[in-house]
C-alpha cells in the first residue's frame, strides 16, 4: 500500500519537477530582454559574461560584496546540497561509479553543514528585523522543509540506520517500472515525503532561482549597446515613426 | 506621534549622523506621508495615457501587468526568483535615510510582487496568505504611488543582489502600470510633455535658447579674449546634446562653457540643436519604451537633418544611461554616422581623448583653491560605460579632473564607483514636493562627503549629472556647504584650459618668463 502510494507520489513529483522547470525556463527563454541592461561595470565579451556568471553561481560574488553572514550560510547550504545530491546518485545507479563512491564520505558529513546553513538562514530570518519584515510564511516553511530533509537524512545515516538497500531497490524499480517494496521505516518515509514535496513546489516557488539566475539580464548580457544594434522586438521599425513637429511650425 | 519619535531616535544617534552606510532599524510607515503631486489629466493624455482612472481600472492594470510580463524578461524573472535573502535590505539610500521598511529594495518589489503572485501564480491563487499574495485594491494603488516614487532607479540594490535583481526595473514597470490607469506623477510627466512640445525639459524656446548662447559667447570672449562660438542649428560634424539644464542652471552652465572651449581648442565643427535640445529622457523614469523612443528619436532626426558625423552627449547621469543603453536600441541604427566613433559618445570621452593626445593645454593652478572629490552618478556608474573597457566610466572623469586640478581626494571606497550612493534626487524625484525625501535620501552621500572634508579639507564636489548638480545645490546648504560647492567636471576644465591666443595664454607665458628670470636672478 505504502509502496504504491510512494511510487505514484514519485512519478508525479518527478513529472511536475521536470515539466514545471522546463515550462518556467521556456517562459524566460522566449520573453525578450529588449534592451542591453547589464549592471555595469559589465564584461564586453561573451567569455567575460561566462566568467561573471561563473563567479556569481559558484562563488556568490554579489552576495559576498553584500553581506558576509548570508554568504557564509548560503555557501554552506548550497555547497553541501551539491555534495549531498552527488552522494545520493548512488541510489539510482547500479553499479555505483567510483567518483560517487569517492564523494560518499564528503556527502555524508555535508549533511551537517547543510542543516547548519539552513539553521543560520532561519536564525537571520527571525533575528534581523529587516529580514523578518520581508519574510512570508512560505519562506519559513521552506527552510523548515529543508531542515526536515536534512535532519531525517542525518538520522538515517548516523542514528537509526535505515534499510538503504531496500530504498535503492525501490528507486531502481521505479525507474524500470518494476516496482519493489519500500522499506517502511519512519525516517525513510518522512525523508522521502519531504523530498517529493520539494520537487513539487520547486517550479512554483522562489526555488526557480536556481535555473533563473542564468537568465538574469543584469548579469548575463554583454555590455555592447553601442557596438551592436539590438532593436526592441515589439517596436515598429524606426523608419515608420512620425516625428514631433518643431515648435512653432505646426 | 510615536512613529516620528522612533524615526528621530533611530536617525540621530552619533553613528547615524556620521556613518555614510548607517542602517537604521525599520520603523513602519516612516515615509508613508511623503508624496508627490499627481499629474493633471491633460498631461497624462499627452503621453498616451488615460487622463482619469477608468471604471475598469483593475482589469486595465492587470492586463498591463500581463503585457509587461510578455515584453520584459527582467520583470517576469525578477518577480519570480527573489529568495528574500535580505542582502539588498540595507543597500537603498532611501531606506538608510527614512528607516521606512517599504524603502528596502526587496520590500519595494514586494509591493508589486504580492499582487503579481495573487493573479499570475498558482500558489498565490490557492494560498495567498502563505506566500504573501494580496488583491489589487485602491489602497494598493495608493501605496504603489507613494513608494514607487521614492525610488531613484539608481540600481544600487542590483549590484548586491545574488541574482542581479534590479528594483529599478520593477519601479519602472509599476510606474507604467500606474500611468496606464491614469495615475501619473506631475513633475515627470509634465516634463516629458514639454519635450514633445518644445524640445527640452525646461520648455526653453528656440529664440531664447539662441539668445542665451550668444550671451555665453560674449561672456567667454570677455573672460578669455577669444571668440569661442556656440553654434546653434548649424550643419556640423558633431551634434552636441546636453541636458537642457546646461543652458540655464548653475553650475551646469559653467560645464557647457567648458564643452565649448574644448570644442574650440579641438578645432571641430559642432552644433547644438534647438529641436533636440535635451539629452535627458524622463520617459525612462516611467518605464515607457514608446515615450522613451519618442524623446530619443528627436536626436536621430536632427543628426540626419544637420548632416552630422558624430553625436556627443553632455554631462548627465540618467541621460547618459538613456543614450548609452537605449539610443541605438530605440532610435537606431545609426549607420549613417562615422563608424570610427561610438554612437553616442560622452563629452568626457571626447575631452579625455584630446587630453591624451596632448591637444589641450591647461594651467592647473587655476583650480588650486579647490580641494575636490568626485561623485559617481549612479546611472553612469551602474548603467553605462565610457571608453572601451569595463569601469572606464569611473576612470575617465577622474582622469580629466586630475589633469586639470592639483588637489583631488576620494570619498570612502564603499560609497564610490559601483557602490556609489545616489544624490537622492534622481529617477524623476527632483521636485519640491519630495524635498523631505530628497534630503533624507541624499544624507548618506552627504555623510561620505563630510568624512573627506574633515580628513582632507575637501571643499568641492564635482559631478557629471544635471540632476545630481541641481539636487546637491539644493541639499548641500542643509549640510554645512554652500550651493556652489557642487561643480561640473567641465567647469574645472573651463577654469584651467588655456585657449590659443587667449589672455590666459599671455599671462601664463609672462608668469613663466617671470619665473625663469627669477631663477636666473637667484
Ligand atoms: S538581494 Fe535579491 S534575492 Fe535577496 S532579497 Fe534582495 S532582491 Fe531578493
Ligand atoms: S534602485 Fe536605488 S532607489 Fe530604487 S530601490 Fe534600488 S537602491 Fe533604492
Ligand atoms: S541624479 Fe545622479 S545620483 Fe541621482 S539617480 Fe541620477 S545619476 Fe544617480
Amino acid at each position: 500500500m505504502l509502496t504504491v502510494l510512494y511510487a505514484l507520489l514519485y512519478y508525479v513529483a518527478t513529472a511536475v519537477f521536470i515539466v514545471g522547470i522546463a515550462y518556467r525556463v521556456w517562459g524566460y527563454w522566449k520573453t525578450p530582454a529588449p534592451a542591453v541592461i547589464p549592471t555595469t561595470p559589465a564584461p564586453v565579451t561573451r567569455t567575460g559574461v561566462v566568467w561573471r556568471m561563473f563567479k556569481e553561481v559558484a562563488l556568490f560574488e554579489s552576495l559576498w560584496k553584500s553581506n558576509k553572514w548570508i554568504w557564509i550560510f548560503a555557501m554552506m547550504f548550497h555547497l553541501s546540497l551539491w555534495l549531498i545530491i552527488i552522494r545520493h546518485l548512488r541510489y539510482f545507479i547500479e553499479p555505483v561509479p567510483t567518483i560517487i563512491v569517492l564523494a560518499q564520505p564528503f556527502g555524508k558529513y555535508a549533511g551537517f553543514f547543510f542543516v547548519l546553513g539552513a539553521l543560520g538562514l532561519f536564525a537571520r530570518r527571525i533575528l534581523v528585523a529587516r529580514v523578518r519584515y520581508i519574510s512570508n510564511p512560505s519562506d519559513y516553511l521552506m527552510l523548515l522543509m529543508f531542515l526536515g530533509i536534512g535532519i531525517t537524512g542525518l538520522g538515517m545515516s548516523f542514528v537509526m540506520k535505515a534499510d538503504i538497500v531496500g530504498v535503492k531497490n525501490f528507486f531502481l524499480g521505479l525507474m524500470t517500472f518494476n516496482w519493489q517494496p519500500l522499506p517502511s521505516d519512519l525516517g525513510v518515509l518522512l525523508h522521502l515525503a519531504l523530498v517529493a514535496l520539494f520537487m513539487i513546489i520547486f517550479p512554483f516557488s522562489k526555488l526557480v532561482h536556481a535555473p533563473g539566475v542564468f537568465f538574469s539580464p543584469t548579469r548575463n548580457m554583454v555590455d555592447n549597446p553601442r557596438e551592436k544594434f539590438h532593436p526592441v522586438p515589439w517596436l515598429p521599425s524606426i523608419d515608420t515613426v512620425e516625428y514631433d513637429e518643431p515648435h512653432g511650425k505646426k | 506621534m510615536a512613529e516620528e519619535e522612533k524615526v528621530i531616535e533611530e536617525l540621530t544617534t552619533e553613528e547615524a549622523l556620521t556613518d555614510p552606510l548607517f542602517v537604521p532599524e525599520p520603523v513602519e510607515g516612516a515615509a508613508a506621508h511623503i508624496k508627490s503631486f499627481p499629474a493633471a489629466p491633460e498631461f497624462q493624455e499627452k503621453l498616451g495615457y488615460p487622463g482619469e482612472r477608468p471604471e475598469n481600472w483593475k482589469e486595465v492594470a492587470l492586463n498591463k501587468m500581463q503585457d509587461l510580463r510578455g515584453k520584459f524578461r527582467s520583470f517576469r524573472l525578477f518577480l519570480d526568483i527573489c529568495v528574500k535573502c535580505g542582502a539588498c535590505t540595507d543597500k537603498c539610500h532611501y531606506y538608510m535615510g527614512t528607516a521606512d521598511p517599504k524603502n528596502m529594495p526587496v520590500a519595494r518589489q514586494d509591493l508589486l510582487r504580492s499582487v503579481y503572485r495573487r493573479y499570475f501564480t498558482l500558489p498565490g491563487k490557492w494560498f495567498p496568505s502563505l506566500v504573501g499574495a494580496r488583491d489589487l485594491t485602491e489602497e494598493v494603488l495608493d501605496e504603489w504611488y507613494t513608494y514607487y516614487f521614492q525610488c531613484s532607479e539608481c540600481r544600487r540594490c542590483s549590484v548586491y543582489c545574488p541574482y542581479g535583481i534590479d528594483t529599478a526595473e520593477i519601479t519602472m514597470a509599476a510606474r507604467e502600470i500606474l500611468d496606464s490607469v491614469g495615475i501619473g506623477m506631475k513633475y515627470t510627466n509634465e516634463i516629458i510633455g514639454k519635450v514633445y512640445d518644445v524640445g527640452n525639459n525646461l520648455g526653453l524656446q528656440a529664440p531664447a535658447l539662441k539668445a542665451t548662447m550668444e550671451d555665453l559667447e560674449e561672456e567667454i570672449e570677455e573672460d578669455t579674449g577669444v571668440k569661442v562660438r556656440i553654434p546653434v542649428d548649424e550643419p556640423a560634424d558633431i551634434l552636441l546634446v546636453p541636458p537642457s539644464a546646461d543652458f540655464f542652471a548653475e553650475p551646469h552652465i559653467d560645464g557647457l562653457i567648458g564643452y565649448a572651449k574644448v570644442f574650440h581648442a579641438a578645432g571641430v565643427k559642432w552644433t547644438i540643436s534647438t529641436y533636440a535640445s535635451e539629452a535627458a529622457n524622463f520617459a525612462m523614469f516611467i518605464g515607457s519604451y514608446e515615450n522613451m523612443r519618442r524623446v530619443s528619436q528627436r536626436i536621430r532626426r536632427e543628426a540626419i537633418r544637420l548632416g552630422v558625423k558624430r553625436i556627443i552627449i553632455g554631462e548627465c547621469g540618467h541621460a547618459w544611461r538613456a543614450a548609452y543603453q537605449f539610443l541605438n536600441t530605440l532610435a537606431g541604427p545609426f549607420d549613417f554616422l562615422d563608424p570610427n566613433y561610438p554612437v553616442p559618445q560622452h563629452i568626457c570621452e571626447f575631452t579625455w581623448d584630446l587630453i591624451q593626445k596632448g591637444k589641450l593645454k591647461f594651467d592647473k593652478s587655476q583650480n588650486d583653491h579647490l580641494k575636490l572629490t568626485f561623485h559617481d552618478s549612479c546611472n553612469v556608474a551602474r548603467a553605462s560605460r565610457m571608453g572601451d573597457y569595463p569601469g572606464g566610466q569611473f576612470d575617465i572623469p577622474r582622469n580629466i579632473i586630475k589633469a586639470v586640478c592639483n588637489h583631488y581626494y576620494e570619498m570612502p571606497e564603499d560609497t564610490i564607483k559601483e557602490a556609489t550612493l545616489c544624490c537622492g534626487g534622481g529617477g524623476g524625484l527632483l521636485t519640491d514636493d519630495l524635498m523631505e525625501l530628497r534630503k533624507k535620501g541624499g544624507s548618506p552621500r552627504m555623510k561620505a562627503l563630510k568624512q573627506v572634508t574633515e580628513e582632507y579639507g575637501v571643499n568641492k564636489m564635482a559631478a557629471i549629472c544635471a540632476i545630481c548638480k541641481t539636487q546637491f545645490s539644493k541639499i548641500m546648504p542643509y549640510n554645512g556647504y554652500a550651493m556652489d560647492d557642487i561643480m561640473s567636471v567641465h567647469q574645472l576644465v573651463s577654469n584651467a584650459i588655456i585657449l590659443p591666443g587667449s589672455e590666459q595664454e599671455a599671462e601664463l607665458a609672462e608668469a613663466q618668463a617671470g619665473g625663469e628670470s627669477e631663477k636666473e636672478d637667484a
Side-chain angles (χ1 to χ4, degrees), chain B residues 152 154 317-318 375-380 421-427 465 467-468:
Chain B
S152 60
C154 77
H318 90 277
H375 164 75
D376 287 285
S377 296
C378 22
N379 275 294
V380 176
L421 293 159
C422 174
C423 63
C465 170
I467 294 178
C468 299

Side-chain angles (χ1 to χ4, degrees), chain A residues 39-44 52 223 226, chain B residues 320 324 349 352 374 376 380-399 416-418 464:
Chain A
T39 311
T40 59
V44 292
R52 179 184 206 180
D223 184 23
R226 293 194 290 187
Chain B
W320 180 237
Y324 178 85
E349 292 179 310
W352 176 235
F374 178 67
D376 287 285
V380 176
R382 293 187 281 257
S384 82
R385 171 163 51 96
M386 285 182 205
D388 52 10
Y389 65 95
Q393 69 269 37
F394 307 134
D395 299 339
I396 290 178
R398 285 175 171 78
N399 291 346
I416 57 170
K417 301 189 177 173
E418 73 168 359
I464 45 171

Side-chain angles (χ1 to χ4, degrees), chain A residues 28 130 216 218-219 236 244 247, chain B residues 80 89 158 164 205 275 293:
Chain A
Y28 300 142
R130 282 176 283 115
S216 178
T218 58
R219 293 289 183 269
D244 289 322
H247 178 69
Chain B
D80 276 353
T89 53
S158 114
Q205 315 252 1
Y275 180 78
R293 173 183 244 189

Side-chain angles (χ1 to χ4, degrees), chain A residues 39-107:
Chain A
T39 311
T40 59
V44 292
T45 59
R46 258 286 123 210
T47 344
V49 165
V50 170
W51 176 233
R52 179 184 206 180
M53 198 48 104
F54 169 79
K55 285 189 290 180
E56 203 60 90
V57 299
L59 308 173
F60 300 172
E61 187 188 26
S62 300
L63 199 54
W64 172 258
K65 287 181 199 165
S66 184
N67 189 309
K68 302 288 187 280
W69 279 113
I70 311 181
W71 187 88
I72 289 171
F73 293 135
M75 254 309 171
M76 262 198 218
F77 182 84
H78 288 87
L79 268 186
S80 21
L81 183 60
W82 278 114
L83 286 173
I84 291 169
I85 289 175
I86 292 170
R87 174 181 104 78
H88 276 69
L89 290 178
R90 63 164 41 231
Y91 298 117
F92 304 90
I93 307 173
E94 183 60 46
V96 183
T98 330
I99 176 103
I100 296 178
V101 177
L102 292 178
Q104 173 68 10
F106 297 101

